[in-house]
Amino acid sequence: MRTKRPKTITFVIPCYNSAAYMDACIESILGGGRDVEIIIVDDGSTKDDTPEKADEWAEAHPDVIKVIHQENAGHGGAVMAGLRAATGIYFKVVDSDDWLDHTSRDLLMAKLRGFIAGDNLVDLVVCNYVYEHIQTGSQRVIHYRRALPTNKIISWDEVGIFGPGQNILMHSAIYRTQVLRDSGLELPKHTFYVDNIFVYVPLPYVKTLHYLPVNLYRYFIGREDQSVNEPVQLGRLDQQMRVTKALVDAYVLPDEIPSKRLARYMEGFLALIIAASSMFAVIRADDEALEMRRQMWANLYAKDVKMAKRLGRHPLVLASNLSSSTGRRLSVRLYRLAQRLYRFS
């Protein structure tokens, strides 16, 4: 009996009341070939016809598309459901309001097929992503030049220095599925911003990387109810702090990370998350928010005093934790300047 070949890659699309825009996302992936697996996770949608649309897509493309219907578990719960069901050798999450560039998708597929054919399974492939800003009509490409050699299989010891805005995010990462599973990745339910856990926790399990410099992922930004919009983030500060704690709890830096360059990168990433959490608490400035910030630092010191002191000296963390009222106002001004420069919300 002929053994069925595994799919090259699984694309998971978490959908929660996504009927207005999910079609464009699915269509952008579909042309990747029959060795693509698309898993649509209907995460308890009740306000529109997302469940029916998902089933229609699966009926039209049964060899490519699967659907999971589940009670609402949040973005992390949807991603984990997709990971448990994935049969692809590689794994990527595409949010239902985002999409993939067709040409870049085809180049990625050719690269992955080459890795598989050559029995050389790279653990993490990194591609560029593009901010598509609805309010201004502008685009901003996030690339990894100088941080990662292009079109070359490397180890962590060959990476360069990651510049501002060059963090490896869910938008840019294509993990080998088994790496995610081996890492013991678990994403909390009913929590936003878990994409930071998704990219961070598996990193020490990655032995080989490849940077394919194509503008693959198109990240839609600027909708009023979007999770990265500042008023939404301020209202969900407790969830931001939950994610920050998960990152702090994951590893003692740099002691538990064998590669010095990987440890440096992970420390910089964690410093960014701590700085963001501090900044949102300062902007809210109510007693509850400031108590959450205090507890964040208590957790960090409880984890490892040496690590806490190292992170406390990081420039981003210092700038977001100025103690005086004048210092806090300065922190907010610097944050507003970064918003204008980078248009990240």
Side-chain angles (χ1 to χ4, degrees):
M1 186 175 178
R2 189 174 181 179
T3 303
K4 188 176 180 180
R5 293 180 61 185
K7 296 283 189 173
T8 295
I9 184 170
T10 297
F11 291 99
V12 170
I13 307 176
C15 291
Y16 178 65
N17 300 324
S18 304
Y21 36 80
M22 62 190 286
D23 290 349
C25 175
I26 296 165
E27 287 169 356
S28 75
I29 302 172
L30 255 181
R34 293 173 66 89
D35 58 336
V36 166
E37 177 179 61
I38 300 174
I39 300 179
I40 304 171
V41 182
D42 164 35
D43 189 41
S45 301
T46 58
K47 297 180 181 178
D48 62 16
D49 59 344
T50 293
E52 293 79 11
K53 271 182 172 274
D55 288 338
E56 288 170 5
W57 276 109
E59 289 170 8
H61 303 276
D63 56 336
V64 174
I65 298 179
K66 299 177 183 177
V67 177
I68 296 172
H69 297 286
Q70 65 178 27
E71 292 184 8
N72 180 256
H75 191 254
V79 171
M80 292 305 300
L83 180 58
R84 287 190 292 270
T87 65
I89 295 172
Y90 287 91
F91 185 92
K92 182 158 186 63
V93 179
V94 184
D95 287 337
S96 57
D97 55 348
D98 300 332
W99 64 97
L100 301 185
D101 175 76
H102 291 187
T103 301
S104 299
R105 176 205 64 202
D106 292 345
L107 290 170
L108 170 67
M109 292 303 303
K111 182 66 68 174
L112 298 181
R113 289 171 187 137
F115 292 151
I116 295 168
D119 196 23
N120 193 6
L121 299 182
V122 174
D123 292 335
L124 172 61
V125 179
V126 177
C127 295
N128 302 338
Y129 65 96
V130 183
Y131 284 111
E132 301 271 359
H133 209 290
I134 186 175
Q135 293 175 345
T136 64
S138 63
Q139 296 182 341
R140 180 167 177 264
V141 178
I142 305 299
H143 62 78
Y144 297 88
R145 293 193 297 269
R146 292 182 291 277
L148 298 172
T150 60
N151 294 309
K152 179 184 177 184
I153 298 175
I154 62 169
S155 68
W156 286 114
D157 292 335
E158 297 172 83
V159 305
I161 296 175
F162 289 78
Q166 282 191 312
N167 291 296
I168 300 170
L169 301 184
M170 184 179 273
H171 323 311
S172 55
I174 301 98
Y175 273 108
R176 188 163 61 85
T177 307
Q178 194 59 46
V179 167
L180 295 174
R181 291 170 173 160
D182 290 345
S183 73
L185 177 70
E186 285 292 338
L187 302 180
K189 295 180 179 180
H190 303 295
T191 304
F192 284 86
Y193 318 117
V194 295
D195 49 324
N196 292 315
I197 303 173
F198 177 89
V199 293
Y200 184 86
V201 168
L203 288 175
Y205 292 80
V206 169
K207 306 306 178 189
T208 54
L209 307 84
H210 184 98
Y211 172 40
L212 179 64
V214 297
N215 300 341
L216 175 68
Y217 194 103
R218 302 305 173 111
Y219 178 36
F220 180 88
I221 192 168
R223 201 174 64 242
E224 288 184 2
D225 63 343
Q226 201 165 13
S227 62
V228 294
N229 279 5
E230 186 179 296
V232 178
Q233 288 178 308
L234 296 178
R236 294 172 176 161
L237 180 59
D238 60 325
Q239 298 180 47
Q240 173 74 24
M241 291 295 186
R242 197 179 306 158
V243 168
T244 303
K245 185 177 186 303
L247 299 189
V248 168
D249 290 346
Y251 301 102
V252 173
L253 300 174
D255 297 349
E256 294 182 356
I257 308 302
S259 167
K260 290 182 179 179
R261 294 194 182 191
L262 174 57
R264 179 178 63 192
Y265 171 77
M266 293 180 69
E267 188 171 279
F269 187 90
L270 182 55
L272 176 65
I273 300 302
I274 290 171
S277 299
S278 295
M279 200 66 259
F280 293 136
V282 168
I283 293 171
R284 259 186 52 172
D286 57 73
D287 290 343
E288 181 186 35
L290 295 176
E291 172 59 23
M292 281 191 275
R293 186 174 73 155
R294 188 202 67 76
Q295 186 60 49
M296 177 187 73
W297 280 102
N299 290 335
L300 185 54
Y301 271 89
K303 172 69 175 181
D304 187 80
V305 172
K306 184 176 69 172
M307 181 172 76
K309 289 181 176 178
R310 282 172 61 94
L311 286 163
R313 293 191 294 267
H314 192 282
L316 283 175
V317 177
L318 282 171
S320 62
N321 283 276
L322 301 175
S323 57
S324 67
S325 58
T326 301
R328 287 194 290 270
R329 287 194 294 271
L330 176 60
S331 293
V332 173
R333 290 196 197 102
L334 291 172
Y335 173 74
R336 299 296 182 213
L337 175 61
Q339 278 183 311
R340 290 195 295 273
L341 288 174
Y342 291 102
R343 293 177 178 171
F344 48 76
S345 61

